[in-house]
Amino acid sequence: MASDLTSQVLDALSHSDGPVLSANAFPSIPSTAVKSALDRLASRDMVSYRTIDREEAILTPEAEVIAAEGSHEAKVFEAVRKSLAGLKIADLPTAVGKETAKIGQGKAFKEGWIKKEGDILTLNVGSITDTSQEQLRLIQKTRSHPDKKVVSDLRKRKLIIMQKVISFEFSKGPKFATEFVKEETDLTADMLASGAWKNVRLKPYNFKSKGAVTSTGALHPLNKVRHEFRQIFFEMGFEEMPTNRYVETGFWNFDALYVPQQHPARDLQDTFYISDPPTADKPREDPEEAQRPANKLLSNTGNAHSSNSRPSYEQYWNSIREVHESGKYGSIGYRYPWSPDESLRLVLRTHTTAVSTAMLYKLAANPRPARYFSIDRVFRNESVDATHLAEFHQVEGVIADFGLALGGLIGFMEVFFAKMGIHKIRFKPAYNPYTEPSMEIFGFHEGLDKWVEIGNSGMFRPEMLEPMGLPKDMRVYGWGLSLERPTMIKYAVKNIRELLGHKVDLHFVETNPAVRLERD
């Protein structure tokens, strides 16, 4: 059809001294077919054209009836006029129809055309002008109306709908001709042998055309931001902790962090507990770890404070029990009957601090300055909404050294977040069972023009560190933040379910740009 239409376009231009409108020349031909023909001719500079977008008003079926037969209110007026003695209100639905009576009676009263005397409708004027019918007939003829208020009112009454119409204005191009000559796309051996190539028109190469999209793999936005975070940690001398265990015991996830067994975070409505098996063994050496070579993270012997100071797993277990029940290491404890069974219950880890705790316990075998980080998935039994999921990723950092103080933590946080492009930060006192002092971290979001919470931090309590066997003068900074929040801000994602889970748009994953945090 496009080839037939090209001839019609050229014929229309040959009989015109100026531009031609496709809506007038080809009113019944779809705009896509017209554009195809125009593109074909424009590629040879035979025509030039511009696209015209406009909205047209289209009558609904109800409006078409009104345009033909009159409005509901006009029909009510006519029924009352024919009844010389007046028309009973109860007889109106029979005279004009139930729907017309329902709509038209009120409008006829509003226009002042009729009045009510008891239960009788009588005329209030001698004649009327059916404005609605006239407006709809004009729109039916011209597909528009000069008064925008009329158009708006008719749309509210659902008598018209607006429809986008695309048309084209085209004119003669530099190489206009009345005949469209086919261009050959291939130079064949037969053309060369017969000499036909001398008389044919070869289609020029289009070096501006885009190639076909190649299907490839793509990194998820979370992985891109995660890579940036890892680079920041590595630049600052951190080592990555192994975080391959999603299931932990209550001991490592809560008790070793000095979280009491009555804490709300351990309730079923906040934590996912494993049903099969429900419990694990007491803390012990991992058989798989014992067979591996020395852990790289723990093999450095430089700057060691002391060696072999770490208690056995059994001694560590008993110390945690004592510090909860009766207090130890200068603490009075929580003073409640600590339950070993509760401590051995298996949970989906609620934070990666469970991993940090295990790493610090291993560090006690050779106490020394250390910097660890982890970025991995954690699980919370939370209601899913636009900003919360039952699983998300936690970014966590830990610094162990001697003589650390709160001022050092604040200074380090300023440097750390500056590497993420966040230069305005504030700290607010907070409470965590395993850190004291504790601070919430707020950063000023330039796009939102307000302060938003970006993380949590603090210094691990002696009740957590000293049972591990770490020296009394060793202090440990800890802080964490969500991976999803900076990713949502970076990619302007408003609903976290569009970033992680079954509602993720694969096209978004495939086409999202590379990320680069504004690091200093």
Side-chain angles (χ1 to χ4, degrees):
M1 181 174 177
S3 59
D4 296 338
L5 195 56
T6 53
S7 301
Q8 296 179 44
V9 170
L10 295 174
D11 184 60
L13 285 172
S14 67
H15 292 89
S16 175
D17 295 329
V20 177
L21 291 174
S22 64
N24 298 332
F26 316 110
S28 60
I29 298 178
S31 61
T32 52
V34 176
K35 187 177 187 305
S36 178
L38 292 174
D39 283 339
R40 192 174 185 189
L41 293 168
S43 67
R44 301 190 189 183
D45 294 328
M46 296 179 72
V47 302
S48 59
Y49 74 93
R50 69 183 182 90
T51 304
I52 302 172
D53 292 340
R54 71 180 190 279
E55 278 194 328
E56 289 186 350
I58 307 297
L59 300 190
T60 62
E62 180 187 356
E64 290 179 352
V65 174
I66 293 175
E69 302 175 3
S71 64
H72 299 293
E73 54 269 29
K75 289 179 181 180
V76 170
F77 177 86
E78 186 63 21
V80 175
R81 186 182 67 81
K82 288 180 180 180
S83 180
L84 299 177
L87 182 66
K88 286 187 176 182
I89 296 176
D91 296 335
L92 183 61
T94 305
V96 297
K98 190 175 181 180
E99 189 68 20
T100 298
K102 179 181 177 182
I103 299 172
Q105 183 179 345
K107 286 191 172 292
F109 276 124
K110 184 178 180 182
E111 295 290 340
W113 295 350
I114 61 174
K115 60 184 178 179
K116 185 171 68 168
E117 296 177 356
D119 61 344
I120 302 295
L121 297 175
T122 60
L123 295 181
N124 198 34
V125 293
S127 63
I128 62 168
T129 300
D130 193 350
T131 307
S132 295
Q133 185 183 41
E134 291 179 353
Q135 291 171 345
L136 291 173
R137 282 180 173 177
L138 177 61
I139 291 174
Q140 192 176 43
K141 183 179 179 181
T142 63
R143 300 292 180 97
S144 64
H145 196 283
D147 192 339
K148 292 183 179 180
K149 290 184 178 179
V150 171
V151 174
S152 176
D153 180 59
L154 293 175
R155 289 184 68 182
K156 289 179 181 178
R157 294 168 61 184
K158 297 183 179 179
L159 294 177
I160 62 170
I161 57 173
M162 302 308 294
Q163 180 176 316
K164 185 178 180 181
V165 177
I166 299 174
S167 60
F168 307 94
E169 182 186 79
F170 54 92
S171 56
K172 297 175 183 178
K175 297 181 181 180
F176 175 77
T178 57
E179 185 181 356
F180 185 82
V181 180
K182 181 183 177 183
E183 292 180 333
E184 297 292 340
T185 57
D186 296 310
L187 182 63
T188 64
D190 291 339
M191 290 181 185
L192 294 173
S194 64
W197 63 274
K198 298 176 182 178
N199 301 318
V200 300
R201 179 178 293 180
L202 293 172
K203 186 176 182 179
Y205 282 109
N206 183 5
F207 293 103
K208 295 182 180 180
S209 64
K210 295 181 179 180
V213 177
T214 304
S215 297
T216 59
L219 287 176
H220 192 281
L222 284 172
N223 279 337
K224 293 181 179 181
V225 177
R226 179 179 183 273
H227 173 75
E228 284 294 298
F229 271 109
R230 292 181 79 240
Q231 294 306 115
I232 290 174
F233 277 115
F234 288 140
E235 287 175 7
M236 301 184 77
F238 282 76
E239 298 173 276
E240 190 165 15
M241 294 182 283
T243 55
N244 56 334
R245 289 183 179 174
Y246 289 165
V247 177
E248 293 281 2
T249 62
F251 177 83
W252 291 111
N253 198 78
F254 296 117
D255 292 298
L257 274 70
Y258 198 53
V259 177
Q261 294 182 343
Q262 299 83 10
H263 195 278
R266 302 178 75 150
D267 292 342
L268 285 172
Q269 61 264 31
D270 292 312
T271 301
F272 290 110
Y273 284 89
I274 306 301
S275 59
D276 186 18
T279 59
D281 296 336
K282 292 171 65 174
R284 56 181 171 79
E285 191 73 37
D286 190 335
E288 294 182 5
E289 256 186 41
Q291 296 174 6
R292 294 178 192 150
N295 192 322
K296 179 183 177 182
L297 298 181
L298 302 169
S299 59
N300 183 6
T301 57
N303 300 322
H305 184 269
S306 62
S307 59
N308 298 323
S309 59
R310 187 184 75 180
S312 67
Y313 280 97
E314 184 64 28
Q315 291 172 327
Y316 184 35
W317 167 271
N318 292 331
S319 294
I320 292 296
R321 179 172 189 160
E322 288 179 43
V323 81
H324 277 255
E325 284 190 336
S326 56
K328 200 175 182 181
Y329 311 108
S331 169
I332 63 173
Y334 290 117
R335 291 177 287 182
Y336 69 94
W338 187 79
S339 169
D341 293 336
E342 179 68 23
S343 186
L344 297 179
R345 293 180 69 184
L346 288 172
V347 302
L348 288 177
R349 67 181 180 205
T350 60
H351 46 197
T352 51
T353 315
V355 179
S356 303
T357 305
M359 289 301 301
L360 290 173
Y361 171 69
K362 293 174 183 177
L363 181 69
N366 181 20
R368 68 186 190 286
R371 295 186 172 197
Y372 302 139
F373 82 93
S374 65
I375 307 173
D376 212 335
R377 191 168 297 191
V378 296
F379 308 86
R380 306 272 176 88
N381 192 4
E382 294 185 348
S383 299
V384 176
D385 57 29
T387 57
H388 296 85
L389 288 177
E391 53 182 305
F392 58 95
H393 294 78
Q394 182 176 338
V395 181
E396 178 162 337
V398 172
I399 297 178
D401 207 338
F402 301 97
L404 296 179
L406 182 63
L409 174 60
I410 293 174
F412 181 85
M413 289 293 97
E414 291 174 345
V415 174
F416 177 78
F417 284 104
K419 288 183 174 291
M420 296 167 51
I422 302 174
H423 301 281
K424 297 179 182 179
I425 63 173
R426 289 177 177 174
F427 300 91
K428 175 184 175 182
Y431 169 76
N432 289 314
Y434 44 91
T435 57
E436 181 61 38
S438 306
M439 300 181 298
E440 290 176 348
I441 309 168
F442 292 81
F444 187 78
H445 191 289
E446 301 289 346
L448 299 176
D449 194 32
K450 67 177 184 179
W451 294 89
V452 296
E453 185 180 352
I454 56 177
N456 212 322
S457 65
M459 299 182 68
F460 287 136
R461 297 177 66 104
E463 293 96 330
M464 173 183 166
L465 300 178
E466 292 192 34
M468 300 174 179
L470 290 171
K472 288 183 178 291
D473 57 346
M474 175 167 272
R475 304 286 183 266
V476 180
Y477 295 152
W479 73 95
L481 62 150
S482 160
L483 180 64
E484 279 76 8
R485 177 164 291 183
T487 306
M488 290 174 70
I489 294 173
K490 199 70 180 177
Y491 286 98
V493 176
K494 295 182 179 179
N495 193 327
I496 193 172
R497 289 168 288 194
E498 297 174 4
L499 188 67
L500 188 66
H502 66 283
K503 291 187 177 181
V504 173
D505 181 3
L506 292 181
H507 179 72
F508 165 70
V509 175
E510 292 167 355
T511 58
N512 66 74
V515 67
R516 180 72 176 174
L517 298 178
E518 300 170 3
R519 292 185 280 163
D520 292 341

